Amino acid sequence: MLGSRRSRRKVTTVLAGLGLLVTGAALQVSTSATPAHAATPHRILFDDGHAEEAGNADWIISTSKPDPLSQDSSPSSETDWTGALSSWGVALQQTGDYSLKTATSALTYGGSAATDLSNFDTLVLPEPNTLFTAAEKTAIMTFVKNGGGLFMVSDHTGADRNNDGEDAVEIFNDLMSDNSVDSTDPFGFSVDSLSISSGYPAAISDSADPVLHGSFGTVTKSLIASGTTATLKPADNSAVKGLLYRSGYSGNTGAFFATSTFGSGRVAFWGDSSPVDDGTGQSGNTLYDGWNDTGATNAALALNATEWLSGASGSGGGGGTDCADTQLLGNAGFESGATTWSATSGVITNSGGESARTGSYYAWLGGNGTAGTETLSQSVAIPSGCSATLGLYLHIDTAETTTSTAYDTLQVQVLNSSGTVLGTLASYSNLNAASGYTQRSFSLSGYAGQTVTLRFTSTEGSKLQTSFVIDDTALAVT
């Protein structure tokens, strides 16, 4: 690549419908895609596109899809909505803090569909029974990496309700071990191939844990009625944590309920679907009322975990405007292609000319070997009173041979809503070229309480190329 003009391959994301705007000399691509964890009410998507109703399963919040409010706009009991998960949905709906929808088709991220994951804070996968496609796995993992919450509800091995040869154990392990975003044990656990007939897994002692002690109550026990557990691997992800354990187990084995993080997002795993089954649903299904089991606190566990995943609790995660360990940038790793960011055409790319730090996509400014300017930007509201830090990974390579003259430059700036530059965080040039990515971070705490635009601007001279390659950005507030 050095010493030659690059040839960018356009991103494969469909660009139809994207708004184009000209700002100065830069042609920018923008969309209305919303990053995960953008605003209250907290937006929950329940999946029903992977045989969640096969056999006796009835893992839906309502037969009205995608919007359960079409069945009853003000439900007061579990039977006002039809489905074995209706108690879960109704309990959330009654708080007034949640917006619930059901997906019945392929899961996407960064698209235009109403049930696209970019429009939600949390995705609930209630015992899926068909494998996710490669595109769906990319969408799910990117959604979590960019700040979404993922709730994985499994069942025992062999619970193949549609007889296609796959059960939830295999499907979840496939999601975590064979995807294009990160297949190296990204969440720090794997689902065990077990069929445990019964039990009441007990909660660990941790008064500060928001899932065990949330606004919906204190969790003491859950329920196994033919389920499984997970094996934890903290060496792969130090954030993984077992919250409830099968009797006689602790530490890294026998975790019936576990939480973890990935990128800027959060993950919860539950080893059985029976605890969220409320015993009511569509006619002809044989269901089990685990939700109201008096020997367990399943409702509190489901609702607290949803709250935590969606960032609705004071413990952080997004969704609000507090300072609770939130990541604010949408499409932070560029894996959704040319969405959320505004960028000169071709800057966000999966071209083989450079290499992403993680995943497939990255932002590539400059590298043309001709005089020109390219930009990459995103507007973000920084909550008042918060400490804010912008982090990113930057790689610079060049064909320039000088050791004294900055012919090609990259500026990292903060602008107000009128386009006025409020500050320049850093300037780089061909003189900073080095192999590999280097992590950079900048304090944005001085802009708390403001909506600002973060802008990267590359300017090249007319002869030799310099490439400024950016990946894995994050704007963390605490």
Side-chain angles (χ1 to χ4, degrees), residues 261-275:
T261 63
F262 175 62
S264 303
R266 297 176 172 186
V267 179
F269 165 82
W270 208 338
D272 194 359
S273 54
S274 295

Side-chain angles (χ1 to χ4, degrees), residues 19 24 29 59 81 90 97 133 146 152-153 186-187 206 226 253 268 317 323 387 392 405 428 431 465 470:
V29 181
W59 310 138
W81 288 355
V90 168
D97 294 330
T133 66
N146 287 350
M152 305 163 67
V153 180
F187 305 154
D206 187 345
S226 292
T253 59
C323 304
S387 174
L392 58 95
T405 304
Y428 303 99
L431 300 177
Q465 74 88 25
I470 299 169

